[in-house]
Amino acid sequence: MDRIRIVGGNELRGTIPISGAKNAALPLMIASLLTPDTLTLENMPRLADVRLLMRILTNHGVDYAIDGKRPGDMPTSGQTLHLTARNIVDTTAPYELVSRMRASFWVIAPLIARMGEAKVSLPGGCAIGTRPVDLLLMALEKLGASIDIEGGYVIARAKGGLRGAEINFPMVTVSGTHTALMGAVMAKGHTLIRNAAREPEIADLAKCLNAIGAKIKGAGTSEIEVEGVSGLSGARHEVLPDRIETGTYAIAAAMTGGDVMLEKARPELLQAGLDVIEKAGAKVTVTNEGIRIQRNGAGISPVDVETEPFPGFPTDLQAQFMALMTMAKGTSRITETIFENRFMHVAELSRFGAHIRLEEDTAIVEGVSKLKGAPVMATDLRASVSLVIAALAAEGESTIHRVYHLDRGFEQLEQKLGACGAIVERISDPG
Ligand code: EPZ
């Protein structure tokens, strides 16, 4: 199992190209099941989750091709992926695959929309809470599907096809909104989704669905309207930049000090995050190239944050921001409102000498003047990168174990940080 070794203490200086967003890429790939024509996705990140989802989709009958290198391509240029679901050969998504990635459960919506049936194992994914799927199933039931749960599988049927409906989500859910959208695009009639998630990845999926012939209005707001169409075609779509990767490197630069240009990053995808990073003492400048983060000399100020659905401060940056606050000049409170168990990084950050205590859904972080390198264990995707951030600023050497979590969501992390002066290397154990 690979480890990452980091020698802390260097400022980050240079340019980091931001990749396509993992959490947009996954639902976009899943949307290819809706059409017999080719969906071409540009700016795809090279990630373990993308490769795993490709395997899952091929199981349903999706053919894929990846463009080879083109003149001028950099190692960090996004990939172009062509997905064609000419015939769906299998409507079952087995436990062995779905249990490894929660988002793969979402295949349930296009499968039932196109084939009138789907049998999908209940999901797995990062250990950040119980993460039920009741609201996804509620959305499909509203659209006319019958749902049974047998032997760990959800069996959804709608032999006569799905029907447009009004879907009111009692809480904001990204997975629920993706499911409702993919279920509604070919349902007969009109669908209204209320209290929809407003995350940019939802708007990106809707943009792509509209490009293949869907009729969706209002994506990116809390009310989405869908007029069902009888069939969908192919299109090209460019995946939007990853706002969580952007925020992660912005926080890393704020943590170590220095001057980093986050190339291709878009501020409107992360305004709440950038505001908080600025309050913590970094200078944020938006340019045509991307977002520049500088912290020269000034200390890190404590800032209280509470995670919220978009456009609020994202839960996917909570762990990284906590790492930054461990070295703030004072005490900060970080409240997690989206997932009930997303504090696995607290114990690991403490190994660097951080002072954090938990009070229910709030972490109280007392800043310390220095962190010391330590061996630590990655627990989930965002938690593991918070350990990388702490290690970059800690005195001496750190080793981060179980880096396969990082590979799920961060493309070329060592190369991107290394190019900015960090001492980071991957150590692969034989066998
Ligand atoms: C998406 O997860 C992201 N995953 C997560 O990113 C992200 O943390 C989350 O949205 C919130 O922004 C992908 O896009 C692949 P939800 P998702 O449905 O869709 C509860 C990462 O690190 N809920 O918005 O699964 C749920 O338990 C990952 O990249 C129900 O109760 O999140 C949670 O408390 C981790 N019933 C809240 O809603 C349901 O049926 C929000 O979940 C569905 C959700």
Side-chain angles (χ1 to χ4, degrees), residues 22-24 26-27 49 101-104 106 126 128-138 169 171-178 197 199 201-202 242-244 308-310 314-317 336-340 342 380-383 408-410:
K22 168 184 82 88
N23 287 349
L26 301 178
D49 270 9
M101 187 192 7
R102 182 179 160 86
S104 60
W106 306 348
C126 277
I128 57 176
T130 50
R131 305 185 77 188
V133 290
D134 55 324
L135 299 175
L136 286 68
L137 302 184
M138 177 278 278
F169 284 113
M171 63 195 286
V172 175
T173 155
V174 172
S175 55
T177 308
H178 279 314
E199 269 63 8
E201 294 76 22
I202 301 278
D242 195 315
R243 63 194 168 101
I244 304 303
E308 283 169 10
F310 190 85
T315 172
D316 288 349
L317 280 182
E336 173 58 54
T337 69
I338 310 288
F339 294 109
E340 80 274 22
R342 206 171 197 182
D380 71 67
L381 170 57
R382 310 302 176 185
R408 294 186 54 189
F410 288 93

